[in-house]
Amino acid sequence: MNARNNYPAWLTGTTSNDDVQAHIDHGWSLVPIPPSTKGPAHKGWNERRAALKAAADLPPGWGIGLAHAYSGTCALDIDDMEAAKPMLAERGIDLQALLDAPDAVQIVSGREGRAKLLYRLPEPLATRQIKKNGKGAYELRCATSDGLTVHDCAPPSVHPQTGLPYRWAGRGHWSRLPVIPQALLDLWRSMLATESAITSTASTDATWTEITGALKHINPDCSRQDWIKVGMALHSHGTQVGQIDHAFTVWDNWSRNSESKYPGERQITQQWASFREDKATAVTMGSVFKLAGEAGWTRPQVDASGLFSPTGGQDLPQAQHPLARFVDCAGPVMPPRWVIPGFIAHGVVVVSGAPGVGKTTAMLPLAMTAAGLHGDDALIPREWRHVVYVSEDVEQAKRILAGIAGHGVLNIAYEAVRERIHIVEAVRLAPSYVATVGKTYREEFTRMVAGVAVLPLVVIDTKSAVLALESENDNSEASAMMAALKQGFDGLPVWLIGHLAKQNLGRNDVLNLSSRGAGAIEGDANQTMFLVREGDNRFLVLGKTRFEPQWPELAITSHTATITAKDEFGKLEAVTLRWGIARPGQKSRKEAAEQAAALAREREEATLRQDILKAVESAWQAGDPLNRARLREKIPRNNSVVGTAIENLLAERWLHEVEVPAKERTGPSRARFLVGFSPEEHEVIVRSGELPDYKLVIPPRWKKSMTPIIPAPPVPNPPVP
């Protein structure tokens, strides 16, 4: 290849938005690529209508992908230059000559030994046109096996691994792509024909004998993409022939032959459950046979005897009974799958509390912790998950979210709350029907992190508002309900919130606590918890678990904030937001009691101060303000405590004592009176030191009535005799 410094400047630099617009004007179909990725972010990207209409539509910092199927283009993607050269040479193709051609157009990303040559197609080709050579050295790219568009990143995208921009290279120009050489086109068509021969009959006529024979040629230490592809194909085939359990056994047994990548029974089961039956035809056994064919497998011919029929007598599958799948008891030990680390595991968790104990104010914030939005450091999960919260009081849920996001000290953005928390209004339905929505939640909100499915958490608040039972005390009904939640929800973690059977029990009575309803509710649960109140404190106490918890209980600390909001008539109203934050207990019970007493004293003091200010303001408004003695009479509390509170308010300038001049006093008890200030007035006083004049005016009732002195008329002189 030519030295880079021999290329013109436009070839070695990244493109601008003007160039992106030029690509669009040229007729290319472009897909937006988010930063630090190589793939489109939105659904429907592979449809022509989803293409960029103008460069201005490209978000700042995003890259572009060239959609081949709608642009009339294709690419020879070379992943291993040294391996690709001899492979292509065997087919009469000189790779170096292609790279050095005077009209060659390349995209390079800074990765050694890799390149991509772009061509235009002389005519549309059939689908199934993304083909690898078998060892991954090169790839011919146009469209996937199901006709969807394949894209190739183009400048100004940035490669997520190298951090370097994709650049144009070669001697040609992107606006004048060369037609694909005939030798490459012939290679493409020959590969299509070869694959067609392998996969043409790979549907329900595939037999378990030939399937297992093909799998013997596929290394289970393959890429995760191919491992998933095999699983999906087996799931599809098992669904079509009605032998889904056997299909799972075949996939599991093949996976166990891996020397280093066997993911374990749990992950295999989870992955299998994620395959969708409604996509049964998306990946067929043809994909498995293709992988096996590339590894040297040849499919046996089907004869007229029906030997390869799925019901043929010689090929009846030896399906393994579900209860005959033995686990390696000496295998590696795995920790529980945590929703809240050390405290709540996967599965159906039953949470019970007395009416009015604050179940929603405690459990919705804890669900936000599962979503990674806040929480004690010890409770924050390694990876956040989406939360679907089914609430019987949607407005209460919104107030809790508003309090935490808008008025807490956690600096949570509303955008993050909207992204991760999904509120649903409760509707009372049959449990079996409720459970069918689990498939929707899984498909919509599952996150894939490092190949692991992080499933959404579903919170049902409350049981009686969502799950319709004829009798909640009927064990058979309750057991069917729990089975629907555990199986119908497709393995999603579920929190089921309900009421306690007995009231007025504290955390010391955890052995006597139980949920209201049939015993099967708790018996079939994976875990139980109880929200209890002790004095002014609340605790989330663990009951039944299948693991050793890090803490037996969490303490719930209440928080409030007051905002102004409009009611349904558009009138402003003060609204109190209340929520509870769960934290592991850090104090002894004695310390907790002392802290609770201190908090109670603080609340009592705050209430007393408000009562004093209200009494002072009310009397002043009535034109007959209070002095200290009369104020203490108005407040039915300890005289000394009230006196101390008055002194504190005076010192903090929330109160002021106005002195009545001696000559105006109506008596010794009216020498001084108290006035109070609003928050706005107090702020001005603290800032400027000036008191509002109208608060210093002495009311008429506190002043002597000043009678004017009228001089006596002059006495006339007596007449002179």
Side-chain angles (χ1 to χ4, degrees):
M1 226 172 2
N2 291 337
R4 296 278 309 219
N5 56 13
N6 291 332
Y7 296 155
W10 68 267
L11 287 172
T12 58
T14 58
T15 52
S16 66
N17 267 18
D18 290 341
D19 295 315
V20 173
Q21 187 63 49
H23 298 340
I24 297 172
D25 295 341
H26 182 64
W28 278 3
S29 181
L30 301 182
V31 179
I33 308 294
S36 301
T37 66
K38 294 175 67 175
H42 58 281
K43 294 181 180 179
W45 67 267
N46 53 323
E47 301 175 9
R48 184 188 293 272
R49 59 181 174 80
L52 284 173
K53 303 299 187 296
D57 297 332
L58 186 67
W62 283 43
I64 56 171
L66 169 61
H68 289 302
Y70 300 135
S71 301
T73 57
C74 61
L76 171 61
D77 188 13
I78 305 156
D79 290 333
D80 187 337
M81 196 82 70
E82 294 306 314
K85 284 181 179 179
M87 290 179 184
L88 291 171
E90 292 177 359
R91 298 173 179 266
I93 299 171
D94 186 341
L95 176 57
Q96 193 62 52
L98 294 177
L99 295 169
D100 293 338
D103 56 356
V105 176
Q106 299 180 38
I107 297 176
V108 296
S109 62
R111 303 182 77 181
E112 292 295 330
R114 298 190 176 209
K116 194 187 307 287
L117 283 160
L118 294 187
Y119 298 100
R120 58 187 174 91
L121 292 168
E123 59 186 23
L125 294 179
T127 59
R128 308 178 66 86
Q129 290 168 1
I130 174 169
K131 303 299 157 203
K132 288 190 175 181
N133 71 305
K135 294 186 179 180
Y138 64 83
E139 190 175 8
L140 298 166
R141 313 193 72 178
C142 179
T144 63
S145 59
D146 50 6
L148 301 182
T149 304
V150 168
H151 76 275
D152 271 312
C153 288
S157 306
V158 175
H159 196 284
Q161 277 79 45
T162 66
L164 299 174
Y166 287 91
R167 298 175 183 272
W168 294 114
R171 295 182 176 180
H173 193 279
W174 62 264
S175 64
R176 298 183 297 276
L177 292 183
V179 175
I180 184 172
Q182 188 62 43
L184 277 179
L185 193 58
D186 291 344
L187 169 61
W188 209 322
R189 286 172 171 155
S190 68
M191 293 175 72
L192 283 171
T194 300
E195 184 192 23
S196 177
I198 293 176
T199 62
S200 60
T201 59
S203 57
T204 54
D205 63 349
T207 66
W208 292 113
T209 297
E210 60 182 336
I211 289 171
T212 53
L215 287 175
K216 290 178 181 178
H217 287 76
I218 303 174
N219 186 352
D221 284 316
C222 56
S223 68
R224 179 173 177 80
Q225 180 181 3
D226 285 345
W227 179 72
I228 294 292
K229 184 183 296 184
V230 171
M232 292 183 70
L234 288 169
H235 188 280
S236 171
H237 185 72
T239 300
Q240 293 176 32
V241 301
Q243 295 167 344
I244 193 69
D245 288 339
H246 183 68
F248 172 79
T249 301
V250 170
W251 190 45
D252 185 34
N253 289 341
W254 170 71
S255 301
R256 288 175 186 268
N257 292 323
S258 165
E259 295 181 0
S260 60
K261 295 184 180 178
Y262 177 65
E265 183 87 22
R266 175 179 291 174
Q267 186 176 340
I268 283 184
T269 303
Q270 293 169 4
Q271 190 67 60
W272 186 261
S274 72
F275 298 149
R276 293 170 48 184
E277 292 186 10
D278 61 336
K279 284 193 172 181
T281 59
V283 180
T284 67
M285 289 312 304
S287 300
V288 174
F289 290 170
K290 173 176 178 277
L291 291 173
E294 291 172 347
W297 175 74
T298 302
R299 186 178 184 188
Q301 295 296 313
V302 180
D303 59 27
S305 67
L307 178 64
F308 297 133
S309 168
T311 57
Q314 299 183 47
D315 192 46
L316 285 176
Q318 301 299 312
Q320 188 177 25
H321 192 282
L323 298 182
R325 297 175 187 154
F326 300 102
V327 176
D328 181 7
C329 59
V333 175
M334 296 183 67
R337 295 171 63 204
W338 297 115
V339 177
I340 301 295
F343 196 75
I344 303 178
H346 261 242
V348 177
V349 179
V350 174
V351 185
S352 305
V357 75
K359 294 183 287 293
T360 304
T361 61
M363 298 310 298
L364 178 50
L366 191 58
M368 292 179 71
T369 300
L373 290 173
H374 77 90
D376 187 278
D377 289 345
L379 300 179
I380 296 175
R382 179 173 284 112
E383 294 293 340
W384 67 268
R385 68 183 67 235
H386 287 274
V387 173
V388 178
Y389 201 98
V390 185
S391 173
E392 61 182 333
D393 190 337
V394 170
E395 291 304 318
Q396 181 191 17
K398 289 166 63 177
R399 289 194 295 270
I400 292 169
L401 296 176
I404 294 177
H407 300 274
V409 295
L410 305 171
N411 296 319
I412 299 172
Y414 273 110
E415 290 73 18
V417 174
R418 290 191 182 97
E419 176 194 10
R420 303 182 187 187
I421 306 296
H422 314 281
I423 302 295
V424 178
E425 187 170 7
V427 179
R428 189 173 167 85
L429 302 166
S432 58
Y433 186 54
V434 170
T436 60
V437 77
K439 182 178 180 181
T440 300
Y441 294 162
R442 173 186 278 271
E443 294 174 2
E444 188 73 18
F445 300 122
T446 297
R447 297 178 63 230
M448 295 302 298
V449 181
V452 177
V454 182
L455 304 177
L457 166 66
V458 180
V459 184
I460 298 177
D461 183 6
T462 61
K463 170 171 63 76
S464 58
V466 178
L467 299 163
L469 300 178
E470 289 188 14
S471 172
E472 67 174 1
N473 295 311
D474 186 303
N475 268 313
S476 61
E477 265 201 278
S479 186
M481 175 191 75
M482 296 301 290
L485 295 179
K486 295 170 77 171
Q487 299 172 16
F489 261 105
D490 210 11
L492 303 184
V494 178
W495 294 355
L496 181 61
I497 301 175
H499 298 294
L500 280 174
K502 298 178 182 179
Q503 311 302 325
N504 302 319
L505 294 178
R507 54 182 174 160
N508 292 325
D509 304 302
V510 65
L511 295 178
N512 299 316
L513 293 174
S514 61
S515 302
R516 192 178 72 189
I521 295 175
E522 289 186 4
D524 293 350
N526 299 92
Q527 184 177 342
T528 61
M529 298 189 298
F530 304 96
L531 185 64
V532 298
R533 188 192 304 275
E534 284 189 356
D536 292 329
N537 300 312
R538 289 185 299 161
F539 299 90
L540 188 60
V541 185
L542 287 181
K544 162 187 170 182
T545 63
R546 295 178 178 175
F547 56 87
E548 284 298 319
Q550 190 166 348
W551 311 278
E553 62 191 23
L554 300 180
I556 309 296
T557 304
S558 292
H559 300 265
T560 60
T562 301
I563 64 170
T564 302
K566 290 183 179 180
D567 62 15
E568 66 269 32
F569 303 107
K571 302 298 184 181
L572 290 176
E573 180 180 335
V575 178
T576 298
L577 312 177
R578 181 179 297 277
W579 65 95
I581 303 297
R583 291 185 175 87
Q586 301 293 329
K587 303 177 179 64
S588 67
R589 296 201 173 186
K590 179 180 178 182
E591 291 173 324
E594 291 174 349
Q595 183 184 36
L599 290 173
R601 287 193 297 271
E602 289 177 7
R603 285 196 294 269
E604 175 63 23
E605 181 181 346
T607 302
L608 174 59
R609 289 163 62 96
Q610 288 299 319
D611 290 347
I612 290 173
L613 291 172
K614 286 180 181 178
V616 169
E617 181 66 16
S618 177
W620 182 80
Q621 291 281 359
D624 189 15
L626 303 173
N627 59 17
R628 297 194 192 204
R630 288 184 60 205
L631 177 57
R632 283 195 290 266
E633 292 172 2
K634 290 279 187 180
I635 306 296
R637 314 277 176 85
N638 180 279
N639 201 39
S640 175
V641 173
V642 175
T644 301
I646 293 172
E647 293 295 339
N648 289 338
L649 288 169
L650 286 166
E652 296 169 17
R653 310 188 78 172
W654 285 102
L655 290 179
H656 178 72
E657 207 165 22
V658 180
E659 186 164 353
V660 181
K663 62 181 180 180
E664 297 182 18
R665 295 175 189 167
T666 59
S669 64
R670 295 204 168 193
R672 298 175 183 83
F673 64 85
L674 294 165
V675 292
F677 305 111
S678 68
E680 294 77 14
E681 291 170 334
H682 181 261
E683 183 179 351
V684 173
I685 293 168
V686 171
R687 186 174 64 249
S688 67
E690 297 179 0
L691 300 172
D693 291 338
Y694 62 89
K695 284 289 179 80
L696 306 180
V697 176
I698 300 171
R701 294 185 186 181
W702 280 63
K703 298 167 65 175
K704 289 180 180 179
S705 57
M706 305 296 290
T707 304
I709 301 175
I710 302 174
V715 178
N717 294 326
V720 178

